[in-house]
Amino acid sequence: MTRSSRSPTSLPGAAGTPVVNRRDLLKLLGVTAGAVTLPEILAACGSGKSGGGGTTSKVVTVGSNASDAVPKQAYVDVFAKAKAATGLDIQVNTVDHNTFQQQINTYLQGTPQDVFFWFAGNRMNFFAQKGLATPISDVWGKIGPNFTEALKAASTGTDGQQYFVPFYYYPWAVFYRKSVFEQHGYQPAKTWDEYVALLKQQQKDGLTPLAMADDGGWPVMGTFDYINMRTNGYQFHIDLMNGKQSWTDARVKTTFDHWAEILPYHDLQGGLARKWEEAAATLAQKKTAMFLLGMFVGQQFQGADKDDLDFFAFPEINPQFGQDSVEAPIDGFMLSRKLKNEDGSKKLLEYLAGAEAVQAYLKSDPNNIAANTKADTSGYNSLQKKAVELIGAGRTSSRR
Amino acid sequence: MIPSLQQFIKNPKDTTSLLSSIEKQKQSIFVG
C-alpha cells in the first residue's frame, strides 16, 4: 500500500474467512515497540487550526501516513479533486509512515486531525472501542451501495456502528521478476516442498533467494502470518493473535520450525534494519529472486521493469488449509473523536468513498485494488487483475 | 512481538524460550 499500510491484515474471505493483518497483530498485542517513548510528533502536528468548529467552516484537517513518494503524490491528486468537488479547504498533514503507526495511540488522544488514515478490521475496532473515533453510520447510509457486505463488515465495530471508509486494498504474496524465472526455468511454488526446493535452486544459481527488510518491524510479520496460517489455519492464527491461543502451543513451535527452515535463504546481512524499498531494489536489480511483501512493492518498479513483476500465492504447507487465506490489508479513513468540523469531515468521507476519488488515486499508484465496487477497473494492469483474482472468488479467503 | 521476532531471526535455534517469552508478554498485555 503505498506504503500506507503495508501491513498484512487478514481479510474476511469470500467464505467468511478473514484475512489477517500483521499490523493488527501489533496492535492487538499492544506491542508497538517504542510507541510510548517516541516524541509526540503526530500530536504536535495536530489540527490546531480548523477554523472554528461550526458547521459553516470549510476547513477539514487530515492526518496522513502516506509519506512514501508514490502514494503521497497520488493523494495530492485525490485531495485536489476532493477540494474541487466539495468546496472544502482540505489541509493534509503527512507524517512518516512508520512514525504514524507507532504514534497513533498518542496521536488520537491528543489533538488529532478531523480525518485520519487507518486500516479496517481489528485495527479500526481497537480505536473505535476506546472511544477515539467518531462513528459514521450516517455516512454509510449514503455510501453503503459502493461496497460489498464484507467491506462493510470490516468497517463495522463490535458495537455495530461503522467507523471506517475503505479506499483500497492489496494482497501480500511472493513477488518475483518473470524474466528471472524464465531465465532459470523456475516455476511458482505451490507447496512448501516446492518452495524449499526453489529456494535451494536459486541459491545454487547464485541468487539470494529471498529479499528481506524489517525497518519498522512489520515486514517480516507477513512471513510469520503466512507460515502460521498455512501451518495451523486461519482461525488458529487469528485466535493466537487475539490472545486466545498460547504461544507455547506445539503448533506455534511448528510454525517457527518452518520459518527457521527457510530463514537461511533470506538476504539476512543487514536485513533487520533494511527498508522495504531497499529490499525491493534488490529484487529489481535481480540480486534477489523473490520478496514476500504487499503489492505496494510495485511502487519500486518503473517502466518495463513493472511489467516484469509478478507474484504467486504463498505456498501450501498443510493440505488441510491449502492456500485458503490471503493477507490483504484494507486502507481507508476514519474520523477522530475530537472533530472540529464534523459536517465537513463527513462530506469529505462521502467524496472519498466515491469512485472518482479512488480512480484518481489508482491512476498514480496502480499497486492496489479499489474498494469501491463501482470504480472503473477496465484500466487495471495485469498485476491488479491477478490480485483481484487472488483475493476474490475461487478462494476461500478473502475479499472483503 | 517485534523484538521477539527479530530475536528469532538473529537466533532461530532457541524458539522454546522465545515463545515462552512472547506468551508472558501476551499475558501482561491481555490481563486486565
Side-chain angles (χ1 to χ4, degrees):
Chain A
M1 56 197 65
T2 64
R3 178 203 182 120
S4 352
S5 78
R6 273 109 189 254
S7 357
T9 294
S10 311
L11 293 183
T17 311
V19 180
V20 180
N21 180 337
R22 110 260 313 307
R23 278 244 190 210
D24 285 329
L25 305 190
L26 299 183
K27 281 300 168 199
L28 288 169
L29 291 175
V31 192
T32 342
V36 182
T37 56
L38 289 176
E40 299 182 14
I41 297 172
L42 293 172
C45 298
S47 55
K49 58 176 146 187
S50 73
T55 54
T56 56
S57 172
K58 292 196 172 188
V59 174
V60 173
T61 56
V62 178
S64 166
N65 62 358
S67 57
D68 292 354
V70 173
K72 188 174 182 180
Q73 181 56 48
Y75 276 114
V76 167
D77 300 340
V78 170
F79 287 114
K81 283 185 175 290
K83 183 177 181 180
T86 63
L88 294 167
D89 178 3
I90 303 164
Q91 300 179 359
V92 181
N93 180 54
T94 303
V95 173
D96 168 72
H97 182 81
N98 286 343
T99 302
F100 190 97
Q101 310 301 106
Q102 292 163 346
Q103 289 288 303
I104 184 73
N105 200 19
T106 304
Y107 165 66
L108 292 178
Q109 295 182 66
T111 53
Q113 277 84 11
D114 296 329
V115 178
F116 66 97
F117 286 39
W118 199 235
F119 315 106
N122 288 339
R123 286 181 290 185
M124 166 208 71
N125 193 48
F126 181 84
F127 293 113
Q129 298 317 307
K130 287 180 75 170
L132 294 174
T134 296
I136 53 168
S137 299
D138 52 344
V139 173
W140 267 86
K142 300 175 183 175
I143 67 173
N146 293 344
F147 302 101
T148 62
E149 281 302 310
L151 274 168
K152 184 175 184 180
S155 305
T156 303
T158 48
D159 62 357
Q161 300 236 54
Q162 282 77 52
Y163 288 92
F164 183 83
V165 169
F167 198 49
Y168 60 69
Y169 58 94
Y170 56 93
W172 277 61
V174 182
F175 287 84
Y176 63 92
R177 290 192 66 143
K178 287 183 278 194
S179 60
V180 170
F181 269 45
E182 286 164 9
Q183 178 188 345
H184 295 283
Y186 302 146
Q187 295 295 323
K190 292 179 181 169
T191 66
W192 186 252
D193 287 348
E194 289 178 6
Y195 194 49
V196 173
L198 180 59
L199 297 173
K200 288 180 177 176
Q201 186 59 48
Q202 289 167 342
Q203 191 171 63
K204 189 184 287 185
D205 293 337
L207 295 162
T208 298
L210 287 163
M212 181 175 169
D214 205 33
D215 179 58
W218 54 267
V220 302
M221 290 196 74
T223 299
F224 169 74
D225 291 347
Y226 264 128
I227 296 177
N228 196 39
M229 288 194 293
R230 295 292 191 254
T231 303
N232 299 311
Y234 173 77
Q235 194 55 51
F236 179 85
H237 182 63
I238 292 300
D239 289 346
L240 181 67
M241 292 305 116
N242 286 333
K244 296 175 184 171
Q245 291 283 356
S246 171
W247 285 81
T248 56
D249 189 297
R251 288 172 286 185
V252 183
K253 176 73 163 53
T254 302
T255 292
F256 278 85
D257 288 345
H258 285 310
W259 195 356
E261 184 179 2
I262 63 167
L263 198 55
Y265 299 100
H266 287 76
D267 191 9
L268 290 171
Q269 187 68 37
L272 288 177
R274 190 174 296 121
K275 295 179 184 299
W276 73 265
E277 296 94 328
E278 296 166 341
T282 67
L283 185 69
Q285 295 158 5
K286 304 186 179 183
K287 292 177 181 173
T288 55
M290 302 185 292
F291 193 11
L292 174 60
L293 202 73
M295 199 166 79
F296 53 83
V297 71
Q299 292 170 12
Q300 299 299 310
F301 289 73
Q302 307 300 331
D305 283 353
K306 199 171 189 68
D307 295 334
D308 197 35
L309 188 64
D310 203 347
F311 67 79
F312 61 84
F314 196 83
E316 167 189 302
I317 294 177
N318 182 340
Q320 181 183 348
F321 305 112
Q323 294 172 297
D324 69 354
S325 310
V326 178
E327 293 229 320
I330 302 167
D331 287 17
F333 314 97
M334 294 177 68
L335 296 188
S336 63
R337 66 174 174 178
K338 297 178 178 178
L339 293 170
K340 300 276 176 51
N341 183 352
E342 181 168 345
D343 288 349
S345 299
K346 289 182 175 177
K347 190 174 180 182
L348 176 57
L349 288 189
E350 287 172 28
Y351 177 78
L352 294 171
E356 178 181 282
V358 72
Q359 284 168 191
Y361 183 87
L362 296 178
K363 191 172 180 183
S364 359
D365 184 12
N367 300 292
N368 303 283
I369 301 165
N372 184 319
T373 56
K374 295 176 180 174
D376 180 9
T377 61
S378 62
Y380 274 9
N381 60 39
S382 58
L383 220 53
Q384 285 173 302
K385 289 175 184 169
K386 192 170 177 178
V388 169
E389 190 180 329
L390 176 71
I391 296 178
R395 287 203 172 252
T396 349
S397 62
S398 58
R399 191 188 220 235
R400 268 174 185 238
Chain B
M1 180 87 181
I2 289 175
S4 298
L5 294 185
Q6 295 193 333
Q7 185 57 42
F8 164 75
I9 288 167
K10 291 176 187 169
N11 178 18
K13 294 180 180 171
D14 188 17
T15 52
T16 301
S17 64
L18 179 81
L19 294 176
S20 294
S21 169
I22 297 176
E23 180 63 17
K24 286 176 189 167
Q25 186 182 111
K26 180 194 82 174
Q27 287 174 356
S28 70
I29 292 166
F30 283 95
V31 169

